[in-house]
Amino acid sequence: MANPFASRAGIVGVGVAIGITATLLQYFGNPPNMGICVACMERDIAGALGLHRAAVVQYLRPEIIGFVIGAFLAALLAKEYRPRGGSAPLVRFFLGVFAMIGALVFLGCPWRALLRLAGGDWNAVTGLAGLATGIGVGVLFLKSGYSLGRAYSQKPATGYLLPVLMAGLFLLLVFRVSFAEGGPLFFSQKGPGSQFAPIWMSLGAGLIVGAIAQRSRFCTMGAIRDVILLRDFHLMSGVAGLLVAAFAMNLILGQFKPGFAGQPIAHTDHLWNFLGMALAGLAFALAGGCPGRQLFLSGEGDLDAGIFALGMIVGAGVSHNFAMASSPAGAAAFGPAGILVGFIFCLAVGFTMRERA
């Protein structure tokens, strides 16, 4: 049976659905211009688990849980559940760490960059330019023979690990389990971590987005890569659908507030907005997918994508514990150092993981 989500109309429809879903989640309680942000939401999960102690960004985000489980269920129904792994997992883990460091210098993943733009935050333009630049450098490595090697088939049960972990996190969220006095778990009492849509609405949205994104192969990094490498605009049409739908919904809901200064959970340090997303884009390109795509792949059994996602969660802890994550005041004290180390690592991976000279 043909997959309707794989058509041009299908991928546009998926982008529109994600844009509408994200703005509605914001309207019903998620932080401004952050209806969906994979990096921010994984950062909140890291905080809830005690991997960092930034009190304003700690919450077990049901959307991330839904992404993985929704993709898992969709893959099972479509007979696309194929556990595989073994393609340089440790390299992918550190790519995830540095992707998160870059994203938190900018304050958002590619999805949030689009949603920030759709909400009138012009600082997102610099971030998106950096994202495209980083992906462009990654494309140069791809053209020169870059590869992390092939993945191998794994036992069926291995692919259950991340969906089961996510289901466990959801139970912890629902029952608010306390393991020790003073945590974990940690839940923000103020700031972005204290702002959230109703739990079941967030989970439902995550399940739907996870399912349709898995079927359509929706990926912001892949969209830019395909345009640069192949002049193929199929995935980009879905990204455009997301941006247009989110912009229209923000106008309808009164959430469009244009400008540079005073934007929510954002800063105006354009150099580090650019470089943060350039690092993130390069890491996404080297790993083979944006953070959302990595979660969807992990749901369908890609253990290497799961390793990347876990690397991003650990990277969130590293970013906050080592003063690398930005704030509305601008780049943090050690954010530039994290960007520099990240570029050195990613370039080393790009140059040393080529299969031909």
Side-chain angles (χ1 to χ4, degrees):
M1 182 180 298
N3 176 8
F5 295 102
S7 66
R8 177 60 62 88
I11 191 71
V12 171
V14 169
V16 169
I18 293 173
I20 292 173
T21 299
T23 50
L24 287 175
L25 285 172
Q26 175 185 329
Y27 183 76
F28 284 105
N30 277 12
N33 291 348
M34 205 186 98
I36 295 176
C37 173
V38 176
C40 302
M41 290 176 167
E42 288 180 336
R43 180 266 321 277
D44 291 355
I45 289 175
L49 296 176
L51 299 183
H52 68 73
R53 298 301 177 89
V56 295
V57 283
Q58 297 173 321
Y59 182 61
L60 290 173
R61 294 282 177 186
E63 295 87 349
I64 298 297
I65 295 167
F67 286 173
V68 175
I69 297 176
F72 171 69
L73 295 175
L76 282 178
L77 291 173
K79 295 182 170 54
E80 292 183 351
Y81 174 70
R82 296 189 304 275
R84 68 263 189 202
S87 172
L90 192 57
V91 173
R92 292 179 185 274
F93 176 84
F94 281 103
L95 286 173
V97 170
F98 287 112
M100 180 62 86
I101 289 173
L104 290 184
V105 168
F106 167 70
L107 291 176
C109 70
W111 287 24
R112 183 166 191 249
L114 293 166
L115 293 172
R116 283 173 58 175
L117 183 60
D121 182 354
W122 306 141
N123 301 293
V125 173
T126 314
L128 287 168
L131 177 69
T133 301
I135 294 171
V137 175
V139 167
L140 294 177
F141 284 120
L142 292 173
K143 287 182 174 180
S144 68
Y146 168 82
S147 173
L148 290 178
R150 63 167 295 188
Y152 297 87
S153 296
Q154 305 290 327
K155 299 292 184 182
T158 59
Y160 301 156
L161 290 173
L162 202 60
V164 169
L165 171 62
M166 292 296 167
L169 291 179
F170 185 70
L171 292 176
L172 292 178
L173 171 62
V174 171
F175 294 105
R176 297 289 179 118
V177 179
S178 177
F179 293 93
E181 185 177 354
L185 300 170
F186 300 97
F187 294 95
S188 297
Q189 301 303 309
K190 60 181 180 179
S194 67
Q195 299 173 296
F196 48 84
I199 290 175
W200 292 101
M201 177 185 294
S202 297
L203 178 66
L207 290 170
I208 292 170
V209 170
I212 62 177
Q214 188 279 328
R215 300 297 293 127
S216 65
R217 283 40 173 182
F218 187 91
C219 178
T220 48
M221 186 289 297
I224 297 173
R225 177 203 60 204
D226 288 355
V227 170
I228 297 173
L229 186 61
L230 305 170
R231 300 299 185 267
D232 184 339
F233 288 81
H234 175 76
L235 289 176
M236 184 58 73
S237 63
V239 172
L242 185 161
L243 180 61
V244 171
F247 171 67
M249 287 297 295
N250 280 326
L251 288 177
I252 293 169
L253 299 173
Q255 297 176 165
F256 182 75
K257 299 177 181 179
F260 285 98
Q263 292 291 341
I265 320 172
H267 61 80
T268 58
D269 194 332
H270 299 306
L271 174 64
W272 296 110
N273 279 332
F274 179 89
L275 291 176
M277 282 304 273
L279 172 60
L282 177 55
F284 299 150
L286 296 177
C290 69
R293 179 68 178 148
Q294 299 287 350
L295 291 174
F296 309 139
L297 284 170
S298 69
E300 66 181 44
D302 189 329
L303 305 181
D304 297 320
I307 289 290
F308 181 92
L310 293 176
M312 286 196 69
I313 292 173
V314 171
V318 171
S319 293
H320 280 282
N321 290 337
F322 291 89
M324 297 179 194
S326 297
S327 71
F334 292 95
I339 294 294
L340 175 61
V341 174
F343 274 126
I344 292 171
F345 175 81
C346 289
L347 291 172
V349 169
F351 281 113
T352 60
M353 296 290 177
R354 292 182 296 171
E355 294 183 345
R356 64 176 185 270

